[in-house]
Amino acid sequence: MFARLSTYQGSPVPAKGDLTASSRSAFQQVQDLPGFRGVYYLLDRASGKAMTLSLWENEDTMRGSEDRATRIREETTRREGQRVVSVERFEVGFSQLAP
């Protein structure tokens, strides 16, 4: 499995508030791409720093999603008033979720 970690910086986010709508919109745009296995959206509301960790079946499918992922990042950051700080790619050495 491979992962792409995108880091963003924006304004602080109010402590209350549901982030589901904006996150679900981005998810719906990638969920049907070949090799997509999942995504996490991480946020520090106080600082406005956020990250998305997308998971891919293998390196080829991750690389094959690059153009679409770039467009989604650009659209989302423009809409949310953020900027892209970095985009990194990793091989997942180990993963385990508790049942």
Side-chain angles (χ1 to χ4, degrees):
M1 187 169 5
F2 279 74
R4 183 171 38 241
L5 179 66
S6 302
T7 304
Y8 311 92
Q9 184 62 57
S11 300
V13 178
K16 303 277 183 188
D18 185 7
L19 302 170
T20 305
S22 61
S23 300
R24 191 163 306 281
S25 172
F27 169 74
Q28 290 172 340
Q29 295 180 60
V30 297
Q31 69 181 349
D32 293 328
L33 290 175
F36 177 74
R37 293 292 171 250
V39 65
Y40 290 92
Y41 178 63
L42 313 171
L43 173 68
D44 178 344
R45 289 179 186 257
S47 72
K49 181 177 182 179
M51 296 179 188
T52 55
L53 179 71
S54 60
L55 300 170
W56 301 90
E57 183 178 314
N58 55 50
E59 187 174 14
D60 289 339
T61 58
M62 180 183 67
R63 297 283 181 192
S65 71
E66 292 290 342
D67 289 342
R68 185 70 185 130
T70 298
R71 285 194 301 273
I72 293 168
R73 274 194 301 277
E74 289 171 355
E75 293 167 4
T76 303
T77 55
R78 186 174 30 253
R79 184 179 62 245
E80 301 293 329
Q82 300 173 318
R83 66 180 172 83
V84 177
V85 175
S86 64
V87 179
E88 302 171 278
R89 292 147 194 89
F90 301 92
E91 182 175 2
V92 176
F94 175 81
S95 69
Q96 180 66 50
L97 293 175

